[in-house]
Amino acid sequence: MSKQNIEACIRDSLQGYFRDLGGEQPHGMYDMLIQVMERPLLEVVMTEAAHNQSRAADWLGLNRNTLRKKLVEHNLLK
């Protein structure tokens, strides 16, 4: 999947979110989106990296300690 396909998926999901709101005002969208995007991102990257935190952190462009903190926040440590 290309970067453009990922962007299109996100765009479509956001447009659906606004349709589902039915005119109501959204609140806290940024934090909500980061939360719903971050967990599956971490799950997939950790699986692909064979749960090697150093490798996963490198792939994500994060410090290993930052990755570990995020894994703890999402209850993803084994």
Side-chain angles (χ1 to χ4, degrees), residues 29-41 74:
M29 281 185 66
Y30 183 82
D31 287 338
M32 176 195 70
L33 288 170
I34 295 300
Q35 189 72 16
V36 299
M37 178 274 315
E38 194 170 59
R39 182 181 177 90
L41 172 65
H74 291 283

Side-chain angles (χ1 to χ4, degrees), residues 17-18 21-29:
Y17 173 75
F18 277 100
L21 284 176
E24 293 292 320
Q25 295 292 315
H27 297 284
M29 281 185 66

Side-chain angles (χ1 to χ4, degrees), residues 30-46 60 62 66-67 69-76:
Y30 183 82
D31 287 338
M32 176 195 70
L33 288 170
I34 295 300
Q35 189 72 16
V36 299
M37 178 274 315
E38 194 170 59
R39 182 181 177 90
L41 172 65
L42 295 171
E43 289 171 338
V44 170
V45 170
M46 288 301 294
L60 291 165
L62 297 174
T66 301
L67 173 60
K69 177 183 165 204
K70 292 181 176 298
L71 293 171
V72 168
E73 288 173 4
H74 291 283
N75 296 313
L76 295 174

Side-chain angles (χ1 to χ4, degrees), residues 53-54 56-58 60-70:
Q53 291 179 23
S54 294
D58 184 52
L60 291 165
L62 297 174
N63 177 287
R64 188 182 165 283
N65 290 331
T66 301
L67 173 60
R68 185 168 177 76
K69 177 183 165 204
K70 292 181 176 298

